[in-house]
Amino acid sequence: MSNFWKGLLFVRKCTVCGRALPEAEENTVFCAECFREYLKLCRDVCPQCERTEKECRCVPEKLRGKVGFAAHLFAYRDAVSHSIVYSLKLKNLPYLQRFLAHELSDLVMDVTGG
């Protein structure tokens, strides 16, 4: 199927706001505005260690003693993070799964030095 017809029939939408992204590339997950919000989420500061969320290694209370370290992209605190997690769990969007898997693999590689 040509890219024109594919784009016409299967319009990609922003994961957060639902805005149509007709000119989006295959791996696009967010519109420009929501991508900025996502990046802000990743730069939010952890209230415990005062590092950015991507640099934070605080282990949640439930997991203390069970895991060696924690790596997370963002905190689950606001509408943007809720929308991303909701879409991941309930909408089964392969492009969102690939995007977050890539983000997490980069983060874990940075943490482990791999």
Side-chain angles (χ1 to χ4, degrees), residues 35-53:
F35 186 65
R36 282 191 296 277
E37 291 297 317
Y38 169 76
L39 292 176
K40 272 194 233 175
L41 275 177
C42 296
R43 289 189 306 260
D44 277 353
V45 176
C46 171
Q48 291 178 323
C49 68
E50 297 182 359
R51 294 182 184 157
T52 64
E53 289 294 340

Side-chain angles (χ1 to χ4, degrees), residues 5-112:
W5 289 107
K6 195 174 183 181
L8 187 64
L9 297 173
F10 306 103
V11 176
R12 174 90 35 128
K13 293 182 180 179
C14 174
T15 303
V16 176
C17 68
R19 196 175 298 144
L21 305 170
E23 301 297 320
E25 293 184 25
E26 189 88 13
N27 58 352
T28 303
V29 178
F30 308 114
C31 66
E33 185 178 318
C34 292
F35 186 65
R36 282 191 296 277
E37 291 297 317
Y38 169 76
L39 292 176
K40 272 194 233 175
L41 275 177
C42 296
R43 289 189 306 260
D44 277 353
V45 176
C46 171
Q48 291 178 323
C49 68
E50 297 182 359
R51 294 182 184 157
T52 64
E53 289 294 340
K54 277 191 165 185
E55 295 170 342
C56 172
R57 300 295 168 254
C58 296
V59 177
E61 187 65 38
K62 290 186 234 179
L63 298 176
R64 287 218 173 103
K66 297 177 183 168
V67 296
F69 74 94
H72 37 88
L73 295 172
F74 52 83
Y76 187 68
R77 291 193 265 257
D78 63 358
V80 174
S81 62
H82 287 218
S83 180
I84 293 169
V85 172
Y86 171 82
S87 296
L88 181 65
K89 287 177 148 185
L90 300 176
K91 291 185 180 179
N92 193 26
L93 304 172
Y95 56 90
L96 177 61
Q97 294 166 357
R98 281 191 300 275
F99 173 79
L100 291 175
H102 180 72
E103 291 277 293
L104 280 170
S105 74
D106 287 349
L107 183 62
V108 169
M109 294 301 280
D110 288 345
V111 170
T112 61

